[in-house]
Amino acid sequence: MKKVIVLCTMVLCLLHSLSSESSVYSGADKSTQKIIKKVDDLIAQQKFDTAFQLLEKNNTNAYLVAKKVEVATNYFVQSLNHISFAFKDLKKGETIEALRMSEGSFPMYYFDPVEVISALLKSGHQEPILYKALGDYYFDVSLRYEGRWIEDDTSIARKIVENYSKAYQGGMYTVPMLVNFANKTALFGNYAQAIELYTKALSENSSLPDVNYNLAYWYLVVGNYDKALEEGNKALIAYSNNLNYQMDAILLCADASYYKKDFDLSIAYLKRALKISTEEYRVFLRLGKNYLAMDKISEANQNFDTLFDFAPTYPSATQMVSESFLAEKNKEALYKFYIRNLLKYSDHLEVEGNLLFHLALQYERDGNIKKAVDTVLLSQKKYMQAEKYDDDIRTAIESLLARNM
């Protein structure tokens, strides 16, 4: 899945969560709701320190604890492992973002949401809002402390899913929570649940282009190509003013069409992508695959050669071409690709080394061991002459020789 878009979805949901949070506090008693209203008024005035102080001693009321988590994770200016937080009542012209990047010193409040909420749950509280608040907390940790927190990322992701699941089962959710829940549960292969959650989010707010894209992606993963196209096209329309995201949506639609074996439609999407950029290797890879599947070898060769030309010294480009030909069981065209490009790059030693190494691998796959050894030795020579015989190349070449000599 396109990580950038998923991450942007997460951040967007985090930053705009407040607009849909008010309803989750509707189950609180009137006196609690009055306190929450005061906190919201203070937040609107950017008096974040005062807002937190109003909640600071409240660790036994489930709704006030949830509000405390919301204020702490959204409006801190400094955080120590997300168990101690500092806040500030902003002056005119000040922003939280600027203060977070400053070197100022602020009084810290100790507040560990896991500790406080766990104590409430052990004492008999079972309000779903506690699970939502804990899920929100772990989600915020996953964004701000990736790879750097007291627990590993996988453990944090599991706790997000576990707590959001309990909140959702209890009827407690917001649209941002649904999206964040879907993003995390998909990481564990729960694609059907992710699709359900994205669909639920869109039913409550249809203006979620990233969700359309992510939903399309998971439909693609589970093999529902018609739905992938449907949601992908919605994302494509929503991304009309963002060419980078539009490119991703086009490629997703092209993939869905390809897997449906509607190669003409896939090529039509890819030609649309070329109008955005002719420097995107993913377009040429997909064009090559489509033409290869249609047995249009000349067109396939043209696009695979263009793909290779983007990075002729990098193994990844060669491997993508090789895998594409082998997937269609067309070894003859693959050998011709190597010979054709060896002639084309006959004056570039490093490119020759790359091509010869992968040609040797193909000879090895086909059981032609003598040719494999002779070719990899020639690859070794080319790399040495180019002074590009680094440790990774040496290891790969010596491994092939060890297997066959």
Side-chain angles (χ1 to χ4, degrees):
M1 184 180 210
K2 186 166 185 302
K3 185 177 180 180
V4 172
I5 290 185
V6 174
L7 184 57
C8 287
T9 302
M10 294 175 178
V11 175
L12 185 66
C13 290
L14 176 72
L15 295 179
H16 293 282
S17 61
L18 186 60
S19 63
S20 57
E21 288 289 346
S22 57
S23 63
V24 304
Y25 299 105
S26 60
D29 59 47
K30 289 185 178 180
S31 61
T32 299
Q33 290 196 34
K34 284 182 179 179
I35 296 173
I36 291 171
K37 174 66 166 57
K38 288 180 182 178
V39 171
D40 286 339
D41 290 342
L42 290 166
I43 289 171
Q45 299 168 46
Q46 297 192 310
K47 294 183 178 180
F48 305 124
D49 187 56
T50 305
F52 191 80
Q53 286 185 43
L54 191 59
L55 296 166
E56 205 228 331
K57 303 298 183 183
N58 290 288
N59 287 332
T60 57
N61 182 309
Y63 288 94
L64 293 181
V65 167
K67 192 67 178 179
K68 195 172 175 182
V69 173
E70 179 192 325
V71 174
T73 54
N74 282 281
Y75 304 112
F76 69 90
V77 292
Q78 288 181 348
S79 162
L80 180 61
N81 278 336
H82 255 32
I83 58 174
S84 290
F85 301 86
F87 306 90
K88 189 176 189 299
D89 291 347
L90 300 190
K91 298 176 183 177
K92 186 176 181 179
E94 287 185 320
T95 66
I96 288 179
E97 292 74 20
L99 288 168
R100 286 175 182 169
M101 297 176 66
S102 72
E103 296 182 359
S105 178
F106 306 92
M108 301 288 289
Y109 300 89
Y110 175 77
F111 174 51
D112 183 350
V114 176
E115 178 183 288
V116 173
I117 293 175
S118 295
L120 279 174
L121 293 172
K122 286 179 182 178
S123 70
H125 282 271
Q126 290 296 316
E127 294 93 331
I129 197 170
L130 290 174
Y131 295 110
K132 178 189 175 296
L134 199 51
D136 288 343
Y137 171 72
Y138 280 120
F139 187 82
D140 199 60
V141 166
S142 75
L143 288 182
R144 303 186 193 277
Y145 288 89
E146 184 177 7
R148 299 180 294 110
W149 205 55
I150 54 179
E151 295 185 42
D152 64 83
D153 293 343
T154 301
S155 174
I156 294 168
R158 289 191 187 282
K159 289 181 178 180
I160 293 168
V161 170
E162 289 169 5
N163 284 286
Y164 277 162
S165 180
K166 291 177 181 177
Y168 186 57
Q169 289 169 9
M172 174 66 62
Y173 64 86
T174 61
V175 169
M177 189 200 99
L178 293 172
V179 176
N180 298 337
F181 184 11
N183 289 335
K184 290 300 183 182
T185 199
L187 296 178
F188 297 104
N190 300 325
Y191 308 135
Q193 185 178 37
I195 288 170
E196 174 195 328
L197 293 166
Y198 284 133
T199 303
K200 176 71 172 173
L202 285 168
S203 73
E204 302 208 4
N205 183 353
S206 60
S207 302
L208 297 168
D210 291 344
V211 175
N212 284 125
Y213 178 89
N214 290 345
L215 182 55
Y217 179 84
W218 294 118
Y219 273 131
L220 185 69
V221 169
V222 300
N224 192 333
Y225 306 128
D226 289 327
K227 292 294 289 185
L229 272 171
E230 179 184 331
E231 296 298 332
N233 278 304
K234 290 177 184 177
L236 188 53
I237 293 169
Y239 290 148
S240 59
N241 294 321
N242 187 320
L243 293 181
N244 288 332
Y245 283 9
Q246 193 177 103
M247 175 68 81
D248 290 307
I250 289 172
L251 294 178
L252 190 151
C253 290
D255 286 346
S257 304
Y258 172 81
Y259 290 121
K260 282 185 63 176
K261 299 189 184 303
D262 190 341
F263 305 121
D264 287 327
L265 179 58
S266 184
I267 290 170
Y269 277 113
L270 294 168
K271 287 183 177 179
R272 185 173 173 181
L274 287 175
K275 293 179 181 178
I276 297 176
S277 174
T278 58
E279 302 296 322
E280 174 56 76
Y281 80 90
R282 294 177 297 172
V283 175
F284 295 99
L285 174 62
R286 285 161 172 78
L287 282 169
K289 286 183 173 182
N290 274 282
Y291 284 123
L292 200 56
M294 298 168 77
D295 203 30
K296 294 185 176 182
I297 303 302
S298 177
E299 291 89 340
N301 287 339
Q302 180 182 348
N303 285 282
F304 284 135
D305 285 357
T306 301
L307 165 64
F308 181 72
D309 288 341
F310 280 126
T313 63
Y314 284 79
S316 55
T318 320
Q319 289 162 5
M320 283 188 281
V321 174
S322 175
E323 289 166 2
S324 298
F325 279 113
L326 293 176
E328 292 294 330
K329 297 180 172 57
N330 196 333
K331 289 188 287 187
E332 180 183 358
L334 176 57
Y335 279 116
K336 288 181 178 178
F337 163 81
Y338 288 126
I339 301 305
R340 181 172 65 252
N341 281 281
L342 280 167
L343 290 171
K344 180 178 178 180
Y345 286 96
S346 60
D347 59 346
H348 196 304
L349 292 168
E350 187 179 4
V351 177
E352 288 183 285
N354 177 31
L355 287 164
L356 287 165
F357 173 75
H358 287 91
L359 177 58
L361 283 177
Q362 188 56 43
Y363 281 134
E364 182 186 36
R365 290 189 198 100
D366 290 340
N368 196 334
I369 302 305
K370 184 178 186 309
K371 277 196 172 183
V373 170
D374 290 345
T375 304
V376 82
L377 287 172
L378 185 54
S379 169
Q380 183 184 56
K381 179 180 178 181
K382 296 290 185 179
Y383 274 123
M384 286 180 171
Q385 288 175 334
E387 298 182 350
K388 297 290 184 178
Y389 196 56
D390 61 26
D391 290 341
D392 289 340
I393 293 169
R394 178 184 294 106
T395 299
I397 287 176
E398 290 181 355
S399 294
L400 192 152
L401 287 171
R403 292 195 300 270
N404 296 290
M405 292 183 71

